């Protein structure tokens, strides 16, 4: 029988999947001898057996009231805080917490995705699709998309990227089309070249929601049907 548990109130939480297990991570408050404090709570659901593992709690640690994003990269969960000092990495196998790499934490990335263990996000201010390679611990820019991003995504305030098949990602963004706001989806193929450079090729760009002014995209998630 699936294990039941008492839900722990968590004002902010994220969920990620690694090897068929769903990791729900959030902050919860508790009363200690020194008054109210915070602890990190990790709940894990095995999607195959539908059994919850014992809840893990780490006291006196707070990632922050809000996260800008979280992703899975190299079987680790990266939690990006709105304040750079509140960004951490959780290693599920060792059940270990560590500070996020300074280079990765140096950019205000959000609405990101990971393709082949490389993190991608759209930098609105620079009108660029940025890529972070953890093996080289450095940021780069996806080449070949400069004209498209400058013209189509110039006014986008909340573009989202999500993995879309092998070596591909989809970029969702709002724009004005025929006098009304719509939401578009651009499919981009990615290629790693000699020297580590990443190039992108625009394969398609279509309007997917015509009444875009009625919607805000909060988070894009890829699913297999």
């Amino acid at each position: 029988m699936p294990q039941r548990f008492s839900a722990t109130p968590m004002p902010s939480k994220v969920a990620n999947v690694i090897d068929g297990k769903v990791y729900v991570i959030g902050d919860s408050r508790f009363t200690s001898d020194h008054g109210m404090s915070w602890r990190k709570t990790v709940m894990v659901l095995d999607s195959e057996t539908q059994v919850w593992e014992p809840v893990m709690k780490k006291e006196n640690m707070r990632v922050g009231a809000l996260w800008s994003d979280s992703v899975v990269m190299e079987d680790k969960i990266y939690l990006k805080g709105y304040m750079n000092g509140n960004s951490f990495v959780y290693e599920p196998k060792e059940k270990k917490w560590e500070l996020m790499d300074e280079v990765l934490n140096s950019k205000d990335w959000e609405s990101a995705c990971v393709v082949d263990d490389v993190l991608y996000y759209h930098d609105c201010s620079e009108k660029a699709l940025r890529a972070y390679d953890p093996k080289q611990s450095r940021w780069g820019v996806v080449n070949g998309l400069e004209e498209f991003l400058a013209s189509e995504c110039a006014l986008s305030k909340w573009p989202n990227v999500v993995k879309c098949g092998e070596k591909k990602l989809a970029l969702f963004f709002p724009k004005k089309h025929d006098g009304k706001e719509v939401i578009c989806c651009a499919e981009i193929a990615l290629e790693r070249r000699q020297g580590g450079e990443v190039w992108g090729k625009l394969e398609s760009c279509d309007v997917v929601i015509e009444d875009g002014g009625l919607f805000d995209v909060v988070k894009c998630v890829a699913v297999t049907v």
Side-chain angles (χ1 to χ4, degrees):
M1 293 291 292
Q3 178 182 344
R4 298 182 181 275
F5 66 96
S6 297
T8 301
M10 292 187 288
S12 59
K13 52 189 172 291
V14 294
N16 290 278
V17 179
I18 300 177
D19 294 333
K21 291 186 176 182
V22 181
Y23 291 82
V24 182
I25 302 175
D27 288 320
S28 59
R29 299 179 68 179
F30 71 101
T31 303
S32 67
D33 295 337
H34 305 288
M36 293 300 297
S37 186
W38 290 89
R39 63 185 169 199
K40 187 58 53 198
T41 300
V42 181
M43 298 185 295
V44 184
L45 172 67
D46 189 315
S47 61
E48 183 175 347
T49 63
Q50 291 294 296
V51 172
W52 287 92
E53 297 180 2
V55 176
M56 190 195 80
K57 298 178 180 179
K58 183 175 178 60
E59 299 181 1
N60 299 321
M61 175 184 174
R62 188 184 183 192
V63 169
L66 293 171
W67 292 298
S68 57
D69 206 354
S70 70
V71 297
V72 173
M73 189 162 49
E74 296 186 319
D75 292 330
K76 297 179 181 180
I77 300 173
Y78 290 75
L79 300 152
K80 175 65 173 173
Y82 277 107
M83 297 179 63
N84 286 343
N86 288 330
S87 298
F88 291 84
V89 181
Y90 179 66
E91 213 286 355
K93 291 182 180 179
E94 301 294 332
K95 298 182 179 180
K96 182 175 65 175
W97 291 92
E98 58 189 35
L99 289 172
M100 185 177 290
D101 175 82
E102 289 184 2
V103 178
L104 175 57
N105 202 29
S106 65
K107 301 292 185 184
D108 294 325
W109 54 271
E110 61 180 315
S111 303
C113 75
V114 173
V115 180
D116 293 336
D117 279 333
V118 174
L119 182 145
Y120 296 89
Y121 86 101
H122 181 260
D123 187 333
C124 297
S125 60
E126 298 296 330
K127 300 180 180 61
L129 185 63
R130 295 197 179 275
Y132 174 80
D133 187 339
K135 292 183 174 61
Q136 300 180 6
S137 187
R138 72 178 185 184
W139 283 100
V141 173
V142 178
N143 300 293
L145 301 172
E146 296 83 0
E147 183 177 344
F148 167 74
L149 295 176
S151 61
E152 296 296 317
C153 304
L155 302 178
S156 298
K157 296 181 179 179
W158 52 254
N160 281 253
V161 293
V162 62
K163 182 179 179 181
C164 177
E166 290 296 322
K167 301 185 184 304
K168 288 185 181 181
L169 61 78
L171 170 66
F172 291 87
F173 60 95
K175 64 171 289 187
K176 290 289 186 179
H177 180 70
D178 292 338
K180 61 181 180 181
E181 189 168 325
V182 299
I183 296 177
C184 298
C185 174
E187 291 191 14
I188 298 170
L190 303 167
E191 178 188 358
R192 294 289 296 270
R193 296 187 180 179
Q194 190 173 6
E197 287 188 344
V198 181
W199 285 75
K201 179 182 178 182
L202 179 66
E203 294 194 334
S204 65
C205 183
D206 302 294
V207 174
V208 291
I209 298 179
E210 294 190 351
D211 295 322
L214 301 177
F215 300 91
D216 281 326
V217 176
V218 177
K219 179 72 174 178
C220 293
V221 179
V223 297
T224 301
V225 180

